[in-house]
Amino acid sequence: MPGPGFAVVDLETTGLFTGGHDRVIEIAVVHTDENGTITGEWETLVNPQRHVGAEHVHGIRAADLIDAPTFADIADDLVDLLAGRVLVAHNARFDRGFLAAEFGRTPHPLPDDAPTLCTMQLARDLIPGAGRSLADCCAAFDIPLDNAHRALVDAHATAELLGGYIASTDREFWYARIDRALNVGWPPLSHLSRRERWVARGASAASVPFLQRIAERLPDVSGPAEHIEYLALLDRCLIDRHLSEHESRQLAAVANELGIGRDTATRLHVEYLDQLATVAWSDGVLSATEVADLAAVAALLQVPDALLTAALAPREPAETVSTTDAATTPGAFTLPPGAMVVLTGEMSRPRAELESALTAAGYRVAGAVSKKVSLLIAADPDSLSGKARKAREYGIPVVGESHLARLL
């Protein structure tokens, strides 16, 4: 009787090089029996603890990975899913190389003798002339492949392709590999499977509007001092007119810590928008750029359209900001000449060019984050890089590359 069968794997990664800093950011495992029939499938995002790489290719944002486990967190789970099975992948050299590198950072090295099959290499003999891509191979068997570059989609299609290969060839070839897999010695598990920690794409809390994360308190236990502290943090988070997932979580956590309920937070957001409009009207003119800016803030703070319209209504230039403390005045954060800034991530412009522009504008560019740094400029404001983690630890604002235009 053949063993349990095959484990079809597909990965999404930050890049192409296993020997460098590239890491796995999504993994899917599909089980099939000895005949190629699918018997189970699992997927999770993986926090790489670094930049996510080519987001336009894999479609995974840093914000999606905040709640995801690290590879070390799921290593035991993967051993449980892979042990005793033949490892299968399309372009197996790539996937196995990354798995070996990731497992090599844990107490569970990937066994050298674990048998692997590559559906891309097998296509040369089984479907000659079909092409090497997964899409080409699947087309030869009329296997649908929608939403490619999502790990579970590609792994499922590869598993169906494997089933087509098995059905059209001598079973002894496949059974021999399964027998070999049963004799491979995998390291013992340190705990039972914990796949409930796995986070599939789209399951992250990042999709929940941050206002909904603020507790509904009855009664609200906050006062003016707490409101000023919350508004000051809100102003800092809105420096670049973007609320990253990290900033959203920080706002919700601070609101809950200060005893600010959801209704109070909603009122404070409206007040903040009104103060911002007052500042914009201070010269007697509301430009198209300022209107767009106010609309952007209203959307981020979930201020209803009717209240945005009211905030845009003309007001006297002499009107002052209605606030109990100057610290809550929108735009209070400033970056004075000589301030130290740090860059992180792959920007749309060459790093050297950006550093030269910042230096010419009177800022100092540092290579590492310290408490002397005033601002971190990131390709992705939710960056998972070491610099971004350190900046958040120090309370240094993290803004997107688009904010460079404001600085320069």
Side-chain angles (χ1 to χ4, degrees):
M1 178 67 181
F6 304 90
V8 183
V9 174
D10 190 80
L11 310 174
E12 295 298 327
T13 64
T14 62
L16 303 175
F17 304 105
T18 59
H21 298 292
D22 286 326
R23 303 294 297 270
V24 170
I25 56 174
E26 187 177 33
I27 184 167
V29 180
V30 176
H31 280 178
T32 81
D33 63 18
E34 69 276 10
N35 298 313
T37 302
I38 293 175
T39 59
E41 50 189 44
W42 301 266
E43 65 173 330
T44 186
L45 295 167
V46 181
N47 188 328
Q49 298 182 303
R50 56 141 290 169
H51 304 300
V52 298
E55 182 181 324
H56 66 281
V57 174
H58 49 62
I60 298 172
R61 306 169 303 157
D64 300 324
L65 301 174
I66 296 173
D67 295 319
T70 64
F71 192 92
D73 291 332
I74 64 170
D76 271 8
D77 302 339
L78 288 173
V79 170
D80 186 43
L81 291 173
L82 300 179
R85 293 177 177 269
V86 180
L87 183 65
V88 181
H90 198 80
N91 191 5
R93 181 176 182 179
F94 175 87
D95 293 272
R96 185 182 174 109
F98 264 98
L99 282 177
E102 292 285 7
F103 273 119
R105 301 182 180 100
T106 76
H108 304 298
L110 184 68
D112 293 335
D113 57 344
T116 304
L117 288 173
C118 178
T119 52
M120 183 181 74
Q121 296 295 340
L122 288 169
R124 294 189 300 177
D125 297 324
L126 301 181
I127 45 175
R132 293 185 302 173
S133 72
L134 179 59
D136 286 338
C137 293
C138 286
F141 286 89
D142 280 334
I143 297 171
L145 180 60
D146 299 320
N147 297 317
H149 293 296
R150 175 167 177 160
L152 185 57
V153 171
D154 289 354
H156 188 95
T158 302
E160 290 195 63
L161 181 62
L162 173 67
Y165 286 176
I166 294 174
S168 60
T169 55
D170 180 13
R171 300 296 172 90
E172 290 305 316
F173 171 85
W174 311 99
Y175 290 171
R177 271 70 183 174
I178 293 174
D179 288 341
R180 283 176 51 196
L182 291 172
N183 295 318
V184 173
W186 285 79
L189 301 180
S190 60
H191 58 70
L192 297 177
S193 179
R194 300 175 183 172
R195 287 195 289 274
E196 70 275 3
R197 301 175 306 174
W198 289 32
V199 178
R201 197 184 300 206
S204 171
S207 59
V208 179
F210 91 89
L211 190 56
Q212 294 180 20
R213 305 177 197 178
I214 296 177
E216 293 186 275
R217 295 178 181 271
L218 187 64
D220 191 300
V221 295
S222 63
E226 288 79 12
H227 297 173
I228 290 171
E229 187 172 343
Y230 178 80
L231 286 169
L233 174 61
L234 182 66
D235 192 51
R236 197 185 79 180
C237 290
L238 289 175
I239 291 170
D240 57 351
R241 297 302 185 254
H242 171 78
L243 273 179
S244 71
E245 176 61 17
H246 282 98
E247 291 168 338
S248 295
R249 293 180 183 217
Q250 185 181 14
L251 281 165
V254 167
N256 292 327
E257 180 183 336
L258 296 176
I260 295 174
R262 193 179 302 171
D263 289 344
T264 300
T266 299
R267 176 174 59 79
L268 291 174
H269 293 176
V270 174
E271 290 181 6
Y272 181 87
L273 180 69
D274 188 69
Q275 293 169 14
L276 195 65
T278 299
V279 172
W281 274 109
S282 62
D283 60 357
V285 178
L286 195 63
S287 68
T289 299
E290 289 169 328
V291 170
D293 186 56
L294 290 168
V297 172
L300 290 171
L301 300 184
Q302 299 169 253
V303 174
D305 290 344
L307 296 179
L308 170 61
T309 301
L312 295 174
R315 58 192 72 190
E316 293 298 324
E319 187 176 340
T320 58
V321 177
S322 175
T323 178
T324 56
D325 192 284
T328 65
T329 303
F333 178 88
T334 58
L335 198 66
M340 188 178 296
V341 300
V342 173
L343 303 175
T344 185
E346 299 178 9
M347 307 286 187
S348 62
R349 295 162 60 187
R351 177 70 64 88
E353 179 182 318
L354 295 175
E355 291 178 349
S356 296
L358 285 165
T359 301
Y363 302 109
R364 293 182 294 156
V365 181
V369 173
S370 69
K371 292 183 178 180
K372 296 180 179 180
V373 171
S374 299
L375 191 70
L376 176 68
I377 302 169
D380 182 343
D382 272 312
S383 173
L384 302 172
S385 71
K387 289 180 180 178
R389 291 198 302 272
K390 186 61 67 175
R392 296 185 187 104
E393 179 183 329
Y394 292 156
I396 298 168
V398 180
V399 302
E401 181 185 357
S402 60
H403 187 58
L404 281 177
R406 294 171 181 254
L407 294 178
L408 302 178

